[in-house]
Amino acid sequence: MIERVLVPMDSSEMAGKALEYALEAHSDAEITVYHVVGAPTMMMGEAVGLALADDLEAEAEKHADIVFEAARDIAAEYDVEIETEVGIGHPVRAILEHAEDYDAIVMGSHGQHSEDITRGYLVGNVAKEVFRRAPVPVTSVR
């Protein structure tokens, strides 16, 4: 029986669909939305901004607030309360390290990179790696 579900989210449409699926398919489970910030980009923008912050954890929470607000809005439509957690670092590594505490992962098939033409070759890379390496079952939502 699945009691705890991890839903890695970014600000993409697919991530929102994954949360909706998790809320519907695992209505009796504890749902935790997990947002990873500080991943290196081609220009190192977010990672550099976090590295220069006086309080790294507070800055990471600030970056995650937009994603968590959207997640809470989705959960409210299902009349469900969700847990939220922030990770710092590379998304695949952070998700895999966090996954051991859960019975399943539900995530979007493509993240926010799919909307960025300059990084189009990374589309689906995080989901693919999590799917291949996760210690628990993974559901990929389109």
Side-chain angles (χ1 to χ4, degrees):
M1 181 172 180
I2 295 177
E3 295 179 7
R4 299 187 74 214
V5 177
L6 182 65
V7 182
M9 283 188 71
D10 57 17
S11 58
S12 70
E13 179 182 351
M14 290 291 175
K17 288 181 179 183
L19 178 57
E20 290 172 354
Y21 178 86
L23 292 165
E24 291 171 8
H26 305 290
S27 59
D28 294 332
E30 174 188 311
I31 306 289
T32 300
V33 170
Y34 187 56
H35 180 67
V36 181
V37 296
T41 64
M42 291 174 126
M43 300 304 289
M44 297 296 289
E46 188 176 61
V48 170
L50 285 172
L52 297 175
D54 290 331
D55 185 345
L56 181 63
E57 290 179 13
E59 191 66 21
E61 288 281 346
K62 182 177 158 186
H63 281 270
D65 278 345
I66 294 170
V67 172
F68 291 158
E69 285 178 31
R72 286 186 193 101
D73 289 345
I74 292 169
E77 293 175 19
Y78 291 84
D79 198 29
V80 173
E81 295 220 9
I82 58 170
E83 301 292 323
T84 58
E85 294 185 27
V86 177
I88 300 173
H90 189 276
V92 172
R93 192 172 311 121
I95 293 166
L96 291 173
E97 288 173 1
H98 207 63
E100 294 176 359
D101 297 330
Y102 293 86
D103 301 312
I105 299 171
V106 176
M107 64 188 301
S109 61
H110 296 76
Q112 65 189 8
H113 296 296
S114 64
E115 297 166 10
D116 185 345
I117 293 171
T118 63
R119 290 184 285 171
Y121 63 92
L122 295 176
V123 172
N125 198 36
V126 171
K128 181 174 77 173
E129 284 302 309
V130 170
F131 188 78
R132 289 179 52 213
R133 299 169 43 196
V136 297
V138 178
T139 301
S140 179
V141 178
R142 276 183 52 104

